[in-house]
Amino acid sequence: QRNGKLQVYGDYFSSDTRAILIACKYAEVEYDFKHINTLKLENVTDEFKRINPTGQIHERNEGLAELDG
């Protein structure tokens, strides 16, 4: 958790990512969004796989726990 904010990783083309962002906005949860462009295969880079080894997007990092949708 950086700066006390939820870290959200996703692609704007994903309805799941948009749902997470809408829920955060509705619940007034502060978050940092990191766009992962799946069309450019950014979800299979070594950098992203350190965050989520499966390479799936919609990753939320809440500090002590990581949830993946």
Short mmCIF file of all heavy atoms in Angstrom, two decimals:
data_model
loop_
_atom_site.label_atom_id
_atom_site.label_comp_id
_atom_site.label_asym_id
_atom_site.label_seq_id
_atom_site.Cartn_x
_atom_site.Cartn_y
_atom_site.Cartn_z
N GLN A 1 0.84 -1.18 0.00
CA GLN A 1 0.00 0.00 0.00
C GLN A 1 0.88 1.23 0.00
O GLN A 1 1.68 1.41 0.90
CB GLN A 1 -0.89 -0.05 1.23
CG GLN A 1 -2.11 0.78 1.12
CD GLN A 1 -3.06 0.45 2.26
OE1 GLN A 1 -2.71 -0.21 3.21
NE2 GLN A 1 -4.26 0.93 2.14
N ARG A 2 0.75 2.04 -1.02
CA ARG A 2 1.53 3.27 -1.12
C ARG A 2 0.64 4.45 -0.80
O ARG A 2 -0.45 4.56 -1.32
CB ARG A 2 2.08 3.43 -2.53
CG ARG A 2 3.21 2.48 -2.83
CD ARG A 2 3.76 2.77 -4.20
NE ARG A 2 3.68 1.52 -4.93
CZ ARG A 2 3.51 1.42 -6.22
NH1 ARG A 2 3.39 2.47 -6.95
NH2 ARG A 2 3.47 0.25 -6.79
N ASN A 3 1.12 5.33 0.05
CA ASN A 3 0.39 6.55 0.39
C ASN A 3 -1.00 6.25 0.94
O ASN A 3 -1.90 7.07 0.80
CB ASN A 3 0.28 7.47 -0.83
CG ASN A 3 1.62 7.81 -1.42
OD1 ASN A 3 2.59 7.97 -0.69
ND2 ASN A 3 1.70 7.90 -2.73
N GLY A 4 -1.19 5.09 1.52
CA GLY A 4 -2.49 4.74 2.08
C GLY A 4 -3.58 4.51 1.05
O GLY A 4 -4.75 4.52 1.37
N LYS A 5 -3.20 4.32 -0.21
CA LYS A 5 -4.19 4.13 -1.27
C LYS A 5 -4.17 2.70 -1.78
O LYS A 5 -3.14 2.04 -1.78
CB LYS A 5 -3.89 5.06 -2.45
CG LYS A 5 -4.08 6.52 -2.14
CD LYS A 5 -3.81 7.34 -3.38
CE LYS A 5 -3.98 8.81 -3.12
NZ LYS A 5 -3.71 9.59 -4.34
N LEU A 6 -5.32 2.27 -2.22
CA LEU A 6 -5.46 0.98 -2.87
C LEU A 6 -4.77 1.05 -4.23
O LEU A 6 -4.89 2.05 -4.95
CB LEU A 6 -6.95 0.69 -3.06
CG LEU A 6 -7.36 -0.58 -3.78
CD1 LEU A 6 -7.05 -1.79 -2.91
CD2 LEU A 6 -8.85 -0.52 -4.07
N GLN A 7 -4.04 0.01 -4.60
CA GLN A 7 -3.40 -0.06 -5.90
C GLN A 7 -4.27 -0.93 -6.81
O GLN A 7 -4.52 -2.08 -6.48
CB GLN A 7 -2.00 -0.69 -5.79
CG GLN A 7 -1.08 0.02 -4.82
CD GLN A 7 -0.77 1.44 -5.25
OE1 GLN A 7 -0.35 1.66 -6.37
NE2 GLN A 7 -0.99 2.37 -4.36
N VAL A 8 -4.74 -0.37 -7.91
CA VAL A 8 -5.59 -1.11 -8.85
C VAL A 8 -4.85 -1.22 -10.17
O VAL A 8 -4.40 -0.22 -10.72
CB VAL A 8 -6.94 -0.41 -9.06
CG1 VAL A 8 -7.81 -1.19 -10.05
CG2 VAL A 8 -7.68 -0.22 -7.74
N TYR A 9 -4.70 -2.43 -10.68
CA TYR A 9 -4.06 -2.69 -11.97
C TYR A 9 -5.11 -3.26 -12.90
O TYR A 9 -5.79 -4.22 -12.56
CB TYR A 9 -2.93 -3.72 -11.82
CG TYR A 9 -1.85 -3.29 -10.88
CD1 TYR A 9 -1.98 -3.49 -9.51
CD2 TYR A 9 -0.70 -2.71 -11.34
CE1 TYR A 9 -0.98 -3.09 -8.63
CE2 TYR A 9 0.31 -2.32 -10.47
CZ TYR A 9 0.16 -2.52 -9.12
OH TYR A 9 1.15 -2.12 -8.26
N GLY A 10 -5.26 -2.68 -14.08
CA GLY A 10 -6.27 -3.21 -14.99
C GLY A 10 -6.23 -2.54 -16.35
O GLY A 10 -5.40 -1.69 -16.63
N ASP A 11 -7.17 -2.93 -17.20
CA ASP A 11 -7.30 -2.42 -18.55
C ASP A 11 -8.68 -1.78 -18.69
O ASP A 11 -9.69 -2.38 -18.29
CB ASP A 11 -7.15 -3.57 -19.54
CG ASP A 11 -7.00 -3.12 -20.97
OD1 ASP A 11 -7.48 -2.01 -21.31
OD2 ASP A 11 -6.39 -3.85 -21.76
N TYR A 12 -8.74 -0.58 -19.24
CA TYR A 12 -10.02 0.12 -19.38
C TYR A 12 -11.01 -0.66 -20.25
O TYR A 12 -12.21 -0.46 -20.14
CB TYR A 12 -9.81 1.51 -19.98
CG TYR A 12 -9.13 2.48 -19.05
CD1 TYR A 12 -7.88 3.00 -19.35
CD2 TYR A 12 -9.75 2.89 -17.87
CE1 TYR A 12 -7.26 3.90 -18.50
CE2 TYR A 12 -9.13 3.78 -17.01
CZ TYR A 12 -7.89 4.29 -17.34
OH TYR A 12 -7.28 5.18 -16.50
N PHE A 13 -10.53 -1.54 -21.13
CA PHE A 13 -11.42 -2.33 -21.97
C PHE A 13 -12.11 -3.44 -21.19
O PHE A 13 -13.04 -4.07 -21.68
CB PHE A 13 -10.67 -2.94 -23.16
CG PHE A 13 -10.29 -1.92 -24.19
CD1 PHE A 13 -8.98 -1.56 -24.39
CD2 PHE A 13 -11.27 -1.32 -24.97
CE1 PHE A 13 -8.63 -0.63 -25.35
CE2 PHE A 13 -10.94 -0.37 -25.92
CZ PHE A 13 -9.61 -0.02 -26.11
N SER A 14 -11.66 -3.70 -19.97
CA SER A 14 -12.22 -4.77 -19.16
C SER A 14 -13.40 -4.25 -18.34
O SER A 14 -13.27 -3.29 -17.57
CB SER A 14 -11.15 -5.32 -18.21
OG SER A 14 -11.74 -6.08 -17.19
N SER A 15 -14.53 -4.92 -18.46
CA SER A 15 -15.70 -4.51 -17.66
C SER A 15 -15.44 -4.74 -16.17
O SER A 15 -15.94 -3.97 -15.33
CB SER A 15 -16.95 -5.27 -18.11
OG SER A 15 -16.78 -6.66 -17.95
N ASP A 16 -14.65 -5.74 -15.81
CA ASP A 16 -14.32 -5.97 -14.41
C ASP A 16 -13.50 -4.81 -13.85
O ASP A 16 -13.74 -4.35 -12.73
CB ASP A 16 -13.53 -7.27 -14.23
CG ASP A 16 -14.37 -8.51 -14.49
OD1 ASP A 16 -15.61 -8.42 -14.35
OD2 ASP A 16 -13.79 -9.54 -14.84
N THR A 17 -12.54 -4.32 -14.61
CA THR A 17 -11.73 -3.19 -14.17
C THR A 17 -12.62 -1.96 -13.99
O THR A 17 -12.53 -1.26 -12.98
CB THR A 17 -10.61 -2.89 -15.19
OG1 THR A 17 -9.74 -4.01 -15.24
CG2 THR A 17 -9.83 -1.65 -14.79
N ARG A 18 -13.49 -1.71 -14.96
CA ARG A 18 -14.39 -0.54 -14.85
C ARG A 18 -15.29 -0.67 -13.64
O ARG A 18 -15.54 0.31 -12.93
CB ARG A 18 -15.20 -0.38 -16.13
CG ARG A 18 -14.34 0.05 -17.32
CD ARG A 18 -15.17 0.49 -18.51
NE ARG A 18 -16.19 -0.46 -18.92
CZ ARG A 18 -16.00 -1.43 -19.81
NH1 ARG A 18 -14.81 -1.58 -20.39
NH2 ARG A 18 -16.97 -2.24 -20.13
N ALA A 19 -15.76 -1.88 -13.34
CA ALA A 19 -16.61 -2.09 -12.17
C ALA A 19 -15.86 -1.78 -10.87
O ALA A 19 -16.40 -1.17 -9.95
CB ALA A 19 -17.14 -3.52 -12.15
N ILE A 20 -14.59 -2.19 -10.81
CA ILE A 20 -13.77 -1.92 -9.63
C ILE A 20 -13.59 -0.41 -9.46
O ILE A 20 -13.73 0.13 -8.36
CB ILE A 20 -12.41 -2.63 -9.73
CG1 ILE A 20 -12.61 -4.14 -9.61
CG2 ILE A 20 -11.44 -2.12 -8.66
CD1 ILE A 20 -11.39 -4.94 -10.01
N LEU A 21 -13.29 0.28 -10.54
CA LEU A 21 -13.08 1.72 -10.47
C LEU A 21 -14.35 2.46 -10.07
O LEU A 21 -14.31 3.39 -9.27
CB LEU A 21 -12.54 2.25 -11.80
CG LEU A 21 -11.18 1.71 -12.23
CD1 LEU A 21 -10.79 2.27 -13.60
CD2 LEU A 21 -10.11 2.02 -11.20
N ILE A 22 -15.49 2.02 -10.59
CA ILE A 22 -16.77 2.63 -10.22
C ILE A 22 -17.07 2.37 -8.75
O ILE A 22 -17.51 3.28 -8.03
CB ILE A 22 -17.90 2.08 -11.12
CG1 ILE A 22 -17.73 2.63 -12.54
CG2 ILE A 22 -19.28 2.45 -10.56
CD1 ILE A 22 -18.60 1.94 -13.58
N ALA A 23 -16.82 1.15 -8.28
CA ALA A 23 -17.06 0.83 -6.87
C ALA A 23 -16.18 1.67 -5.95
O ALA A 23 -16.64 2.17 -4.92
CB ALA A 23 -16.83 -0.66 -6.61
N CYS A 24 -14.92 1.86 -6.34
CA CYS A 24 -14.01 2.69 -5.54
C CYS A 24 -14.51 4.13 -5.49
O CYS A 24 -14.50 4.75 -4.42
CB CYS A 24 -12.60 2.65 -6.11
SG CYS A 24 -11.72 1.11 -5.81
N LYS A 25 -14.94 4.62 -6.63
CA LYS A 25 -15.43 6.00 -6.67
C LYS A 25 -16.70 6.14 -5.83
O LYS A 25 -16.84 7.08 -5.05
CB LYS A 25 -15.69 6.42 -8.12
CG LYS A 25 -16.05 7.87 -8.26
CD LYS A 25 -16.05 8.31 -9.70
CE LYS A 25 -16.27 9.81 -9.74
NZ LYS A 25 -15.91 10.39 -11.00
N TYR A 26 -17.62 5.20 -5.96
CA TYR A 26 -18.87 5.23 -5.22
C TYR A 26 -18.63 5.16 -3.71
O TYR A 26 -19.26 5.86 -2.93
CB TYR A 26 -19.77 4.07 -5.67
CG TYR A 26 -21.09 4.03 -4.95
CD1 TYR A 26 -22.12 4.91 -5.29
CD2 TYR A 26 -21.32 3.12 -3.93
CE1 TYR A 26 -23.32 4.88 -4.62
CE2 TYR A 26 -22.52 3.08 -3.25
CZ TYR A 26 -23.53 3.96 -3.60
OH TYR A 26 -24.72 3.94 -2.94
N ALA A 27 -17.69 4.30 -3.30
CA ALA A 27 -17.38 4.12 -1.88
C ALA A 27 -16.37 5.16 -1.36
O ALA A 27 -16.00 5.11 -0.19
CB ALA A 27 -16.84 2.71 -1.63
N GLU A 28 -15.95 6.06 -2.25
CA GLU A 28 -14.98 7.10 -1.91
C GLU A 28 -13.67 6.52 -1.37
O GLU A 28 -13.09 7.02 -0.42
CB GLU A 28 -15.59 8.11 -0.93
CG GLU A 28 -16.79 8.83 -1.52
CD GLU A 28 -17.42 9.83 -0.57
OE1 GLU A 28 -16.98 9.95 0.58
OE2 GLU A 28 -18.38 10.49 -1.01
N VAL A 29 -13.24 5.43 -2.02
CA VAL A 29 -11.97 4.79 -1.68
C VAL A 29 -10.89 5.42 -2.54
O VAL A 29 -11.02 5.47 -3.77
CB VAL A 29 -12.04 3.26 -1.95
CG1 VAL A 29 -10.68 2.62 -1.78
CG2 VAL A 29 -13.07 2.61 -1.05
N GLU A 30 -9.84 5.92 -1.91
CA GLU A 30 -8.72 6.47 -2.68
C GLU A 30 -7.93 5.33 -3.29
O GLU A 30 -7.67 4.33 -2.64
CB GLU A 30 -7.83 7.30 -1.77
CG GLU A 30 -8.46 8.60 -1.31
CD GLU A 30 -7.47 9.48 -0.59
OE1 GLU A 30 -6.30 9.53 -1.01
OE2 GLU A 30 -7.88 10.09 0.40
N TYR A 31 -7.55 5.50 -4.55
CA TYR A 31 -6.80 4.45 -5.23
C TYR A 31 -5.85 5.07 -6.24
O TYR A 31 -6.04 6.19 -6.69
CB TYR A 31 -7.74 3.47 -5.93
CG TYR A 31 -8.55 4.07 -7.04
CD1 TYR A 31 -8.09 4.07 -8.35
CD2 TYR A 31 -9.80 4.65 -6.79
CE1 TYR A 31 -8.82 4.63 -9.37
CE2 TYR A 31 -10.54 5.22 -7.80
CZ TYR A 31 -10.05 5.21 -9.09
OH TYR A 31 -10.78 5.77 -10.10
N ASP A 32 -4.82 4.32 -6.56
CA ASP A 32 -3.93 4.64 -7.66
C ASP A 32 -4.19 3.59 -8.74
O ASP A 32 -4.20 2.40 -8.45
CB ASP A 32 -2.46 4.57 -7.23
CG ASP A 32 -2.05 5.74 -6.36
OD1 ASP A 32 -2.57 6.85 -6.57
OD2 ASP A 32 -1.21 5.55 -5.47
N PHE A 33 -4.40 4.05 -9.97
CA PHE A 33 -4.69 3.14 -11.06
C PHE A 33 -3.47 3.01 -11.96
O PHE A 33 -2.88 4.00 -12.38
CB PHE A 33 -5.88 3.64 -11.88
CG PHE A 33 -6.24 2.74 -13.02
CD1 PHE A 33 -6.82 1.50 -12.78
CD2 PHE A 33 -6.00 3.11 -14.32
CE1 PHE A 33 -7.15 0.65 -13.83
CE2 PHE A 33 -6.32 2.27 -15.37
CZ PHE A 33 -6.90 1.05 -15.12
N LYS A 34 -3.11 1.79 -12.26
CA LYS A 34 -2.01 1.50 -13.18
C LYS A 34 -2.62 0.78 -14.38
O LYS A 34 -3.11 -0.35 -14.27
CB LYS A 34 -0.97 0.62 -12.48
CG LYS A 34 0.10 0.06 -13.38
CD LYS A 34 1.15 1.07 -13.73
CE LYS A 34 2.27 0.33 -14.46
NZ LYS A 34 3.04 1.12 -15.30
N HIS A 35 -2.62 1.47 -15.53
CA HIS A 35 -3.20 0.87 -16.73
C HIS A 35 -2.27 -0.22 -17.27
O HIS A 35 -1.09 0.01 -17.50
CB HIS A 35 -3.43 1.94 -17.80
CG HIS A 35 -4.03 1.39 -19.03
ND1 HIS A 35 -3.44 1.51 -20.25
CD2 HIS A 35 -5.17 0.68 -19.24
CE1 HIS A 35 -4.19 0.91 -21.17
NE2 HIS A 35 -5.25 0.40 -20.57
N ILE A 36 -2.82 -1.41 -17.45
CA ILE A 36 -2.11 -2.54 -18.03
C ILE A 36 -2.77 -2.81 -19.39
O ILE A 36 -3.91 -3.25 -19.45
CB ILE A 36 -2.21 -3.80 -17.13
CG1 ILE A 36 -1.70 -3.50 -15.72
CG2 ILE A 36 -1.47 -4.96 -17.76
CD1 ILE A 36 -0.25 -3.09 -15.63
N ASN A 37 -2.06 -2.51 -20.46
CA ASN A 37 -2.61 -2.66 -21.79
C ASN A 37 -2.47 -4.12 -22.25
O ASN A 37 -1.39 -4.56 -22.63
CB ASN A 37 -1.89 -1.72 -22.77
CG ASN A 37 -2.54 -1.68 -24.12
OD1 ASN A 37 -3.20 -2.62 -24.54
ND2 ASN A 37 -2.37 -0.57 -24.82
N THR A 38 -3.59 -4.84 -22.21
CA THR A 38 -3.55 -6.25 -22.58
C THR A 38 -3.36 -6.44 -24.09
O THR A 38 -2.86 -7.48 -24.52
CB THR A 38 -4.83 -6.98 -22.14
OG1 THR A 38 -5.97 -6.32 -22.69
CG2 THR A 38 -4.94 -7.00 -20.63
N LEU A 39 -3.73 -5.44 -24.90
CA LEU A 39 -3.51 -5.54 -26.34
C LEU A 39 -2.03 -5.52 -26.68
O LEU A 39 -1.59 -6.09 -27.67
CB LEU A 39 -4.24 -4.43 -27.08
CG LEU A 39 -5.77 -4.44 -26.98
CD1 LEU A 39 -6.37 -3.22 -27.67
CD2 LEU A 39 -6.34 -5.72 -27.55
N LYS A 40 -1.24 -4.86 -25.81
CA LYS A 40 0.21 -4.83 -25.99
C LYS A 40 0.89 -5.90 -25.13
O LYS A 40 2.10 -5.90 -24.98
CB LYS A 40 0.76 -3.46 -25.61
CG LYS A 40 0.33 -2.35 -26.55
CD LYS A 40 0.95 -1.04 -26.16
CE LYS A 40 0.55 0.06 -27.11
NZ LYS A 40 1.13 1.36 -26.69
N LEU A 41 0.09 -6.79 -24.56
CA LEU A 41 0.56 -7.92 -23.73
C LEU A 41 1.37 -7.46 -22.52
O LEU A 41 2.26 -8.17 -22.05
CB LEU A 41 1.36 -8.91 -24.57
CG LEU A 41 0.60 -9.54 -25.75
CD1 LEU A 41 1.52 -10.44 -26.54
CD2 LEU A 41 -0.62 -10.30 -25.25
N GLU A 42 1.02 -6.29 -21.97
CA GLU A 42 1.70 -5.80 -20.78
C GLU A 42 1.43 -6.67 -19.56
O GLU A 42 2.16 -6.61 -18.58
CB GLU A 42 1.31 -4.35 -20.49
CG GLU A 42 1.83 -3.38 -21.52
CD GLU A 42 1.37 -1.96 -21.30
OE1 GLU A 42 0.53 -1.70 -20.41
OE2 GLU A 42 1.86 -1.07 -22.03
N ASN A 43 0.37 -7.49 -19.63
CA ASN A 43 0.03 -8.37 -18.51
C ASN A 43 0.90 -9.63 -18.45
O ASN A 43 0.82 -10.38 -17.49
CB ASN A 43 -1.44 -8.77 -18.56
CG ASN A 43 -1.82 -9.45 -19.85
OD1 ASN A 43 -1.49 -8.97 -20.93
ND2 ASN A 43 -2.51 -10.57 -19.76
N VAL A 44 1.76 -9.83 -19.45
CA VAL A 44 2.63 -11.00 -19.42
C VAL A 44 4.11 -10.61 -19.30
O VAL A 44 4.99 -11.45 -19.48
CB VAL A 44 2.40 -11.94 -20.63
CG1 VAL A 44 1.01 -12.53 -20.60
CG2 VAL A 44 2.64 -11.21 -21.94
N THR A 45 4.37 -9.34 -19.00
CA THR A 45 5.75 -8.91 -18.81
C THR A 45 6.27 -9.41 -17.47
O THR A 45 5.50 -9.71 -16.56
CB THR A 45 5.86 -7.37 -18.85
OG1 THR A 45 5.12 -6.83 -17.76
CG2 THR A 45 5.38 -6.80 -20.17
N ASP A 46 7.58 -9.50 -17.36
CA ASP A 46 8.18 -9.92 -16.08
C ASP A 46 7.80 -8.97 -14.96
O ASP A 46 7.54 -9.40 -13.84
CB ASP A 46 9.70 -10.00 -16.20
CG ASP A 46 10.16 -11.15 -17.09
OD1 ASP A 46 9.38 -12.11 -17.25
OD2 ASP A 46 11.29 -11.08 -17.60
N GLU A 47 7.76 -7.67 -15.27
CA GLU A 47 7.40 -6.67 -14.25
C GLU A 47 6.01 -6.94 -13.69
O GLU A 47 5.81 -6.94 -12.48
CB GLU A 47 7.46 -5.26 -14.86
CG GLU A 47 7.05 -4.17 -13.89
CD GLU A 47 7.01 -2.80 -14.55
OE1 GLU A 47 7.38 -2.66 -15.72
OE2 GLU A 47 6.59 -1.86 -13.86
N PHE A 48 5.02 -7.17 -14.57
CA PHE A 48 3.66 -7.42 -14.10
C PHE A 48 3.55 -8.77 -13.41
O PHE A 48 2.84 -8.91 -12.41
CB PHE A 48 2.65 -7.32 -15.23
CG PHE A 48 1.24 -7.42 -14.73
CD1 PHE A 48 0.65 -6.38 -14.04
CD2 PHE A 48 0.50 -8.59 -14.91
CE1 PHE A 48 -0.65 -6.48 -13.54
CE2 PHE A 48 -0.78 -8.70 -14.42
CZ PHE A 48 -1.37 -7.64 -13.73
N LYS A 49 4.27 -9.77 -13.90
CA LYS A 49 4.19 -11.10 -13.29
C LYS A 49 4.79 -11.14 -11.88
O LYS A 49 4.49 -12.03 -11.11
CB LYS A 49 4.81 -12.16 -14.19
CG LYS A 49 3.90 -12.47 -15.37
CD LYS A 49 4.31 -13.73 -16.04
CE LYS A 49 3.24 -14.15 -17.02
NZ LYS A 49 3.49 -15.46 -17.55
N ARG A 50 5.61 -10.14 -11.53
CA ARG A 50 6.06 -10.04 -10.14
C ARG A 50 4.90 -9.62 -9.24
O ARG A 50 4.87 -9.96 -8.07
CB ARG A 50 7.21 -9.04 -10.02
CG ARG A 50 8.55 -9.62 -10.46
CD ARG A 50 9.72 -8.74 -10.08
NE ARG A 50 9.75 -7.48 -10.80
CZ ARG A 50 10.30 -7.29 -12.00
NH1 ARG A 50 10.87 -8.31 -12.62
NH2 ARG A 50 10.30 -6.12 -12.57
N ILE A 51 3.95 -8.88 -9.80
CA ILE A 51 2.76 -8.46 -9.05
C ILE A 51 1.74 -9.59 -9.03
O ILE A 51 1.16 -9.89 -8.00
CB ILE A 51 2.15 -7.20 -9.70
CG1 ILE A 51 3.16 -6.05 -9.64
CG2 ILE A 51 0.84 -6.82 -9.03
CD1 ILE A 51 2.80 -4.90 -10.54
N ASN A 52 1.52 -10.20 -10.19
CA ASN A 52 0.54 -11.27 -10.31
C ASN A 52 1.11 -12.35 -11.24
O ASN A 52 1.04 -12.21 -12.45
CB ASN A 52 -0.79 -10.75 -10.85
CG ASN A 52 -1.86 -11.81 -10.85
OD1 ASN A 52 -1.58 -12.99 -10.68
ND2 ASN A 52 -3.10 -11.41 -11.05
N PRO A 53 1.65 -13.43 -10.67
CA PRO A 53 2.30 -14.47 -11.48
C PRO A 53 1.40 -15.12 -12.53
O PRO A 53 1.90 -15.66 -13.51
CB PRO A 53 2.74 -15.50 -10.43
CG PRO A 53 2.83 -14.74 -9.16
CD PRO A 53 1.77 -13.68 -9.25
N THR A 54 0.09 -15.05 -12.39
CA THR A 54 -0.79 -15.66 -13.38
C THR A 54 -0.93 -14.79 -14.62
O THR A 54 -1.40 -15.26 -15.65
CB THR A 54 -2.20 -15.91 -12.81
OG1 THR A 54 -2.82 -14.65 -12.53
CG2 THR A 54 -2.16 -16.77 -11.57
N GLY A 55 -0.54 -13.51 -14.52
CA GLY A 55 -0.65 -12.61 -15.66
C GLY A 55 -2.05 -12.08 -15.88
O GLY A 55 -2.32 -11.41 -16.87
N GLN A 56 -2.97 -12.37 -14.97
CA GLN A 56 -4.34 -11.87 -15.11
C GLN A 56 -4.41 -10.44 -14.61
O GLN A 56 -3.72 -10.05 -13.68
CB GLN A 56 -5.31 -12.74 -14.33
CG GLN A 56 -5.39 -14.15 -14.85
CD GLN A 56 -6.35 -15.00 -14.06
OE1 GLN A 56 -6.78 -14.63 -12.98
NE2 GLN A 56 -6.68 -16.15 -14.60
N ILE A 57 -5.30 -9.66 -15.24
CA ILE A 57 -5.46 -8.29 -14.79
C ILE A 57 -6.55 -8.21 -13.73
O ILE A 57 -7.03 -9.23 -13.26
CB ILE A 57 -5.74 -7.32 -15.96
CG1 ILE A 57 -6.99 -7.74 -16.72
CG2 ILE A 57 -4.54 -7.23 -16.87
CD1 ILE A 57 -7.43 -6.71 -17.74
N HIS A 58 -6.92 -7.04 -13.36
CA HIS A 58 -7.85 -6.73 -12.26
C HIS A 58 -7.18 -7.03 -10.92
O HIS A 58 -7.81 -7.51 -10.01
CB HIS A 58 -9.18 -7.49 -12.33
CG HIS A 58 -9.63 -7.86 -13.70
ND1 HIS A 58 -9.79 -6.93 -14.68
CD2 HIS A 58 -9.90 -9.05 -14.25
CE1 HIS A 58 -10.19 -7.55 -15.78
NE2 HIS A 58 -10.25 -8.82 -15.55
N GLU A 59 -5.94 -6.75 -10.83
CA GLU A 59 -5.20 -6.99 -9.59
C GLU A 59 -5.39 -5.81 -8.67
O GLU A 59 -5.28 -4.67 -9.07
CB GLU A 59 -3.70 -7.18 -9.92
CG GLU A 59 -2.84 -7.41 -8.72
CD GLU A 59 -3.00 -8.78 -8.09
OE1 GLU A 59 -3.65 -9.65 -8.67
OE2 GLU A 59 -2.47 -8.95 -7.01
N ARG A 60 -5.71 -6.09 -7.40
CA ARG A 60 -5.80 -5.05 -6.39
C ARG A 60 -4.84 -5.39 -5.28
O ARG A 60 -4.88 -6.49 -4.74
CB ARG A 60 -7.22 -4.97 -5.81
CG ARG A 60 -8.17 -4.26 -6.69
CD ARG A 60 -9.16 -5.12 -7.41
NE ARG A 60 -9.80 -6.17 -6.67
CZ ARG A 60 -10.16 -7.30 -7.22
NH1 ARG A 60 -9.89 -7.55 -8.49
NH2 ARG A 60 -10.77 -8.22 -6.56
N ASN A 61 -4.00 -4.47 -4.95
CA ASN A 61 -3.04 -4.70 -3.88
C ASN A 61 -3.45 -3.82 -2.71
O ASN A 61 -3.45 -2.61 -2.81
CB ASN A 61 -1.63 -4.34 -4.35
CG ASN A 61 -0.59 -4.60 -3.29
OD1 ASN A 61 -0.87 -4.57 -2.12
ND2 ASN A 61 0.62 -4.86 -3.73
N GLU A 62 -3.80 -4.46 -1.60
CA GLU A 62 -4.27 -3.72 -0.44
C GLU A 62 -3.25 -3.77 0.69
O GLU A 62 -3.61 -3.76 1.85
CB GLU A 62 -5.60 -4.31 0.03
CG GLU A 62 -6.67 -4.21 -1.04
CD GLU A 62 -7.99 -4.75 -0.58
OE1 GLU A 62 -8.42 -4.40 0.53
OE2 GLU A 62 -8.59 -5.52 -1.32
N GLY A 63 -1.99 -3.80 0.36
CA GLY A 63 -0.97 -3.80 1.38
C GLY A 63 -0.63 -5.21 1.81
O GLY A 63 0.21 -5.86 1.24
N LEU A 64 -1.30 -5.71 2.83
CA LEU A 64 -0.99 -7.03 3.36
C LEU A 64 -1.59 -8.16 2.53
O LEU A 64 -1.12 -9.27 2.54
CB LEU A 64 -1.48 -7.15 4.81
CG LEU A 64 -0.81 -6.20 5.80
CD1 LEU A 64 -1.45 -6.36 7.17
CD2 LEU A 64 0.68 -6.45 5.87
N ALA A 65 -2.65 -7.86 1.81
CA ALA A 65 -3.33 -8.90 1.04
C ALA A 65 -3.44 -8.46 -0.41
O ALA A 65 -3.63 -7.28 -0.69
CB ALA A 65 -4.71 -9.18 1.61
N GLU A 66 -3.34 -9.38 -1.31
CA GLU A 66 -3.56 -9.10 -2.72
C GLU A 66 -4.76 -9.91 -3.17
O GLU A 66 -4.82 -11.11 -2.93
CB GLU A 66 -2.33 -9.44 -3.56
CG GLU A 66 -1.18 -8.51 -3.31
CD GLU A 66 -0.02 -8.76 -4.24
OE1 GLU A 66 -0.18 -9.51 -5.21
OE2 GLU A 66 1.05 -8.20 -3.97
N LEU A 67 -5.70 -9.24 -3.78
CA LEU A 67 -6.91 -9.90 -4.27
C LEU A 67 -6.88 -9.84 -5.78
O LEU A 67 -6.54 -8.83 -6.36
CB LEU A 67 -8.15 -9.17 -3.75
CG LEU A 67 -8.21 -8.95 -2.26
CD1 LEU A 67 -9.37 -8.05 -1.91
CD2 LEU A 67 -8.33 -10.29 -1.54
N ASP A 68 -7.30 -10.93 -6.39
CA ASP A 68 -7.28 -10.92 -7.85
C ASP A 68 -8.63 -11.40 -8.35
O ASP A 68 -9.17 -12.34 -7.84
CB ASP A 68 -6.04 -11.69 -8.25
CG ASP A 68 -6.11 -12.73 -9.25
OD1 ASP A 68 -6.14 -12.34 -10.38
OD2 ASP A 68 -5.99 -13.89 -8.90
N GLY A 69 -9.22 -10.63 -9.29
CA GLY A 69 -10.60 -10.87 -9.69
C GLY A 69 -10.78 -11.67 -10.90
O GLY A 69 -10.09 -12.10 -11.67
#
